[in-house]
mmCIF file of all heavy atoms in Angstrom:
data_model
loop_
_atom_site.group_PDB
_atom_site.id
_atom_site.type_symbol
_atom_site.label_atom_id
_atom_site.label_comp_id
_atom_site.label_asym_id
_atom_site.label_seq_id
_atom_site.Cartn_x
_atom_site.Cartn_y
_atom_site.Cartn_z
ATOM 1 N N ARG A 2 61.480 132.598 46.195
ATOM 2 C CA ARG A 2 62.224 133.822 46.422
ATOM 3 C C ARG A 2 61.393 135.047 46.100
ATOM 4 O O ARG A 2 61.355 136.002 46.853
ATOM 5 C CB ARG A 2 63.417 133.837 45.483
ATOM 6 C CG ARG A 2 64.696 133.642 46.137
ATOM 7 C CD ARG A 2 65.730 133.585 45.052
ATOM 8 N NE ARG A 2 66.514 134.791 45.149
ATOM 9 C CZ ARG A 2 67.289 135.018 46.169
ATOM 10 N NH1 ARG A 2 67.320 134.187 47.161
ATOM 11 N NH2 ARG A 2 68.008 136.109 46.231
ATOM 12 N N THR A 36 70.726 119.125 68.253
ATOM 13 C CA THR A 36 70.758 117.678 68.039
ATOM 14 C C THR A 36 69.393 117.088 68.339
ATOM 15 O O THR A 36 69.095 115.983 67.940
ATOM 16 C CB THR A 36 71.801 117.010 68.943
ATOM 17 O OG1 THR A 36 71.452 117.272 70.305
ATOM 18 C CG2 THR A 36 73.180 117.568 68.678
ATOM 19 N N ASN A 117 69.682 107.890 77.845
ATOM 20 C CA ASN A 117 70.821 108.059 76.923
ATOM 21 C C ASN A 117 71.297 109.498 76.776
ATOM 22 O O ASN A 117 71.979 109.830 75.817
ATOM 23 C CB ASN A 117 70.485 107.549 75.522
ATOM 24 C CG ASN A 117 70.128 106.086 75.521
ATOM 25 O OD1 ASN A 117 70.656 105.350 76.343
ATOM 26 N ND2 ASN A 117 69.244 105.675 74.645
ATOM 27 N N SER A 120 74.433 114.602 77.994
ATOM 28 C CA SER A 120 74.753 115.699 78.883
ATOM 29 C C SER A 120 73.424 116.285 79.356
ATOM 30 O O SER A 120 72.728 116.922 78.590
ATOM 31 C CB SER A 120 75.562 116.740 78.114
ATOM 32 O OG SER A 120 75.728 117.875 78.903
ATOM 33 N N ASN A 175 61.211 115.570 68.940
ATOM 34 C CA ASN A 175 61.761 115.907 67.626
ATOM 35 C C ASN A 175 60.671 115.978 66.565
ATOM 36 O O ASN A 175 60.751 116.786 65.648
ATOM 37 C CB ASN A 175 62.794 114.859 67.199
ATOM 38 C CG ASN A 175 64.023 114.904 68.071
ATOM 39 O OD1 ASN A 175 64.255 115.893 68.770
ATOM 40 N ND2 ASN A 175 64.812 113.853 68.060
ATOM 41 N N THR A 225 79.626 129.860 53.642
ATOM 42 C CA THR A 225 78.285 129.715 53.093
ATOM 43 C C THR A 225 77.286 130.571 53.861
ATOM 44 O O THR A 225 76.367 131.154 53.283
ATOM 45 C CB THR A 225 77.848 128.239 53.170
ATOM 46 O OG1 THR A 225 78.897 127.436 52.683
ATOM 47 C CG2 THR A 225 76.610 128.001 52.372
ATOM 48 N N ASP A 234 69.411 135.288 50.977
ATOM 49 C CA ASP A 234 68.680 134.066 51.304
ATOM 50 C C ASP A 234 68.228 134.045 52.756
ATOM 51 O O ASP A 234 67.230 133.436 53.097
ATOM 52 C CB ASP A 234 69.556 132.837 51.050
ATOM 53 C CG ASP A 234 69.712 132.566 49.574
ATOM 54 O OD1 ASP A 234 68.902 133.099 48.813
ATOM 55 O OD2 ASP A 234 70.642 131.839 49.199
ATOM 56 N N ASN A 427 80.294 128.845 89.379
ATOM 57 C CA ASN A 427 80.338 127.748 88.425
ATOM 58 C C ASN A 427 81.755 127.551 87.877
ATOM 59 O O ASN A 427 82.255 126.432 87.805
ATOM 60 C CB ASN A 427 79.274 128.082 87.358
ATOM 61 C CG ASN A 427 79.550 127.558 85.998
ATOM 62 O OD1 ASN A 427 80.441 128.044 85.305
ATOM 63 N ND2 ASN A 427 78.788 126.566 85.592
ATOM 64 N N ALA B 39 78.414 118.621 78.924
ATOM 65 C CA ALA B 39 78.622 120.013 79.305
ATOM 66 C C ALA B 39 79.907 120.091 80.131
ATOM 67 O O ALA B 39 80.128 119.249 80.993
ATOM 68 C CB ALA B 39 77.442 120.513 80.122
ATOM 69 N N ASP B 41 80.882 121.784 82.561
ATOM 70 C CA ASP B 41 80.806 121.901 84.017
ATOM 71 C C ASP B 41 80.105 120.715 84.670
ATOM 72 O O ASP B 41 79.744 120.774 85.836
ATOM 73 C CB ASP B 41 80.135 123.225 84.419
ATOM 74 C CG ASP B 41 78.810 123.428 83.699
ATOM 75 O OD1 ASP B 41 78.519 122.652 82.780
ATOM 76 O OD2 ASP B 41 78.077 124.360 84.059
ATOM 77 N N GLU B 53 75.421 105.183 80.588
ATOM 78 C CA GLU B 53 74.214 105.091 79.768
ATOM 79 C C GLU B 53 74.532 104.842 78.297
ATOM 80 O O GLU B 53 73.802 104.146 77.610
ATOM 81 C CB GLU B 53 73.390 106.387 79.887
ATOM 82 C CG GLU B 53 72.651 106.475 81.187
ATOM 83 C CD GLU B 53 71.217 106.964 80.994
ATOM 84 O OE1 GLU B 53 70.896 107.422 79.894
ATOM 85 O OE2 GLU B 53 70.451 106.868 81.957
ATOM 86 N N VAL B 81 74.219 111.405 69.707
ATOM 87 C CA VAL B 81 73.836 112.807 69.650
ATOM 88 C C VAL B 81 72.335 112.972 69.435
ATOM 89 O O VAL B 81 71.704 113.831 70.029
ATOM 90 C CB VAL B 81 74.605 113.508 68.513
ATOM 91 C CG1 VAL B 81 74.140 114.932 68.345
ATOM 92 C CG2 VAL B 81 76.089 113.473 68.812
ATOM 93 N N GLU B 84 68.440 108.521 68.397
ATOM 94 C CA GLU B 84 67.541 107.773 67.530
ATOM 95 C C GLU B 84 68.404 106.727 66.826
ATOM 96 O O GLU B 84 69.625 106.892 66.743
ATOM 97 C CB GLU B 84 66.886 108.705 66.503
ATOM 98 C CG GLU B 84 65.824 109.584 67.132
ATOM 99 C CD GLU B 84 65.107 110.460 66.120
ATOM 100 O OE1 GLU B 84 64.914 110.010 64.986
ATOM 101 O OE2 GLU B 84 64.742 111.583 66.489
ATOM 102 N N ASN B 159 72.317 137.082 41.910
ATOM 103 C CA ASN B 159 71.097 136.853 42.673
ATOM 104 C C ASN B 159 70.064 136.019 41.908
ATOM 105 O O ASN B 159 68.874 136.220 42.040
ATOM 106 C CB ASN B 159 70.489 138.203 43.078
ATOM 107 C CG ASN B 159 69.982 138.159 44.506
ATOM 108 O OD1 ASN B 159 69.928 137.073 45.101
ATOM 109 N ND2 ASN B 159 69.621 139.290 45.038
ATOM 110 N N SER B 163 71.740 130.333 47.664
ATOM 111 C CA SER B 163 73.116 129.971 47.978
ATOM 112 C C SER B 163 73.230 128.639 48.690
ATOM 113 O O SER B 163 74.306 128.082 48.802
ATOM 114 C CB SER B 163 73.740 131.059 48.840
ATOM 115 O OG SER B 163 73.010 131.166 50.041
ATOM 116 N N ILE B 267 79.430 122.927 51.700
ATOM 117 C CA ILE B 267 79.456 124.288 51.170
ATOM 118 C C ILE B 267 78.048 124.787 50.886
ATOM 119 O O ILE B 267 77.717 125.932 51.167
ATOM 120 C CB ILE B 267 80.303 124.343 49.881
ATOM 121 C CG1 ILE B 267 81.752 124.088 50.226
ATOM 122 C CG2 ILE B 267 80.161 125.693 49.199
ATOM 123 C CD1 ILE B 267 82.644 124.014 49.029
#
Side-chain angles (χ1 to χ4, degrees):
Chain A
R2 251 176 110 67
T36 60
N117 300 328
S120 172
N175 292 343
T225 313
D234 287 342
N427 151 288
Chain B
D41 51 350
E53 284 224 349
V81 175
E84 286 183 34
N159 222 350
S163 61
I267 292 175

